[in-house]
Amino acid sequence: MDEDRRIVAGVPLGDPIPFTRLVSCLEPPYFLLYVLHTPRGEGDAGRYQSPAVSSEQFHEFMSRFGSYLSSDSRFDIWAHSPVEQATVVWDRHNQLFAYGPLIRLSSELDALGFTPGEASIPFPHQHHYREEFDADARALLESFAWAYSPLRPEDAQ
């Protein structure tokens, strides 16, 4: 954890619980940003921003799409709480980045059994774009009235 700026944590086995718990400790509504880097026909590569999402809608979303989010690498997902100016990012390398109320977010990770250390990406590594999740990827893009914008240079993988 960089005390002044952000928390960086690894996500063991792509478990969706740490992302869900960190977002849940922030004040709703949330705005989700689904950054689709490597589509498999479900939509165009780009940034998909949700409308304002309630806590209940966020939990329904994570319940419905948690398996897909934890098992595929075609995207990164962000959640932002404008009330707290806080953001949690879960990237395709199974890393979490959290900005905002760092003490509260760190406490949530502590409660999940996380300990201080270095979050690293194994090298070499692979990304999986699994055919069995194509239907979930399409359903995710149909789950909200997402606002689309093209990928930005910093989104390049």
Side-chain angles (χ1 to χ4, degrees):
M1 177 170 94
D2 178 343
E3 297 293 333
D4 297 327
R5 303 180 58 215
R6 69 179 182 176
I7 293 170
V8 179
V11 182
L13 304 174
D15 187 348
I17 291 172
F19 179 76
T20 303
R21 294 271 298 267
L22 288 182
V23 173
S24 297
C25 74
L26 300 174
E27 181 85 22
Y30 312 117
F31 289 88
L32 302 179
L33 180 66
Y34 179 74
V35 182
L36 181 57
H37 301 285
T38 312
R40 286 181 39 88
E42 71 273 21
D44 293 330
R47 293 171 150 241
Y48 294 83
Q49 182 177 317
S50 74
V53 173
S54 69
S55 179
E56 181 178 279
Q57 289 171 308
F58 172 70
H59 284 278
E60 289 171 1
F61 176 85
M62 291 305 296
S63 177
R64 167 63 178 88
F65 297 109
S67 291
Y68 162 61
L69 297 172
S70 69
S71 301
D72 204 276
S73 299
R74 61 186 91 181
F75 63 88
D76 299 331
I77 189 160
W78 302 44
H80 179 71
S81 166
V83 173
E84 296 194 73
Q85 288 301 298
T87 302
V88 179
V89 179
W90 181 12
D91 79 2
R92 66 174 24 189
H93 294 106
N94 278 323
Q95 290 189 312
L96 287 175
F97 300 88
Y99 309 83
L102 298 184
I103 293 172
R104 187 176 347 133
L105 293 165
S106 181
S107 294
E108 194 65 31
L109 288 174
D110 290 345
L112 289 169
F114 281 71
T115 57
E118 290 293 319
S120 63
I121 301 167
F123 189 80
H125 66 276
Q126 297 179 355
H127 293 278
H128 298 281
Y129 316 109
R130 301 181 189 281
E131 181 179 2
E132 61 265 30
F133 288 109
D134 288 353
D136 288 328
R138 277 190 299 281
L140 184 143
L141 289 178
E142 295 168 358
S143 66
F144 295 118
W146 301 93
Y148 173 83
S149 61
L151 291 175
R152 295 180 180 172
E154 62 267 25
D155 297 327
Q157 298 289 307

